[in-house]
Amino acid sequence: MYANAFGTAQLRGIPSRFLYFPNEGHWILKPQNVILWQRVFFDWLGRTLKPEGTVAK
């Protein structure tokens, strides 16, 4: 079935989003793609790692 971090997160019910950059390889190198990836990743960290009972901004 799934053999990657996204698939595992989906199977475990962890909120996740799949970002696909058709013009990139394994590494995200194009500046505009790097910015988007980092924004999405750090937003996800902020939502996922916030302490219980904390209200999101």
Side-chain angles (χ1 to χ4, degrees):
M1 185 168 255
Y2 294 111
N4 58 39
F6 172 73
T8 302
Q10 290 286 291
L11 289 173
R12 290 177 172 249
I14 298 169
S16 50
R17 179 177 169 193
F18 183 79
L19 292 178
Y20 174 64
F21 299 100
N23 58 348
E24 297 278 16
H26 181 75
W27 299 102
I28 308 300
L29 300 174
K30 293 186 173 52
Q32 68 274 17
N33 293 344
V34 171
I35 291 168
L36 175 60
W37 187 91
Q38 288 182 350
R39 284 182 181 162
V40 170
F41 176 69
F42 287 113
D43 179 57
W44 177 84
L45 280 178
R47 287 183 285 111
T48 306
L49 300 178
K50 71 178 187 230
E52 292 283 331
T54 303
V55 178
K57 292 182 181 180

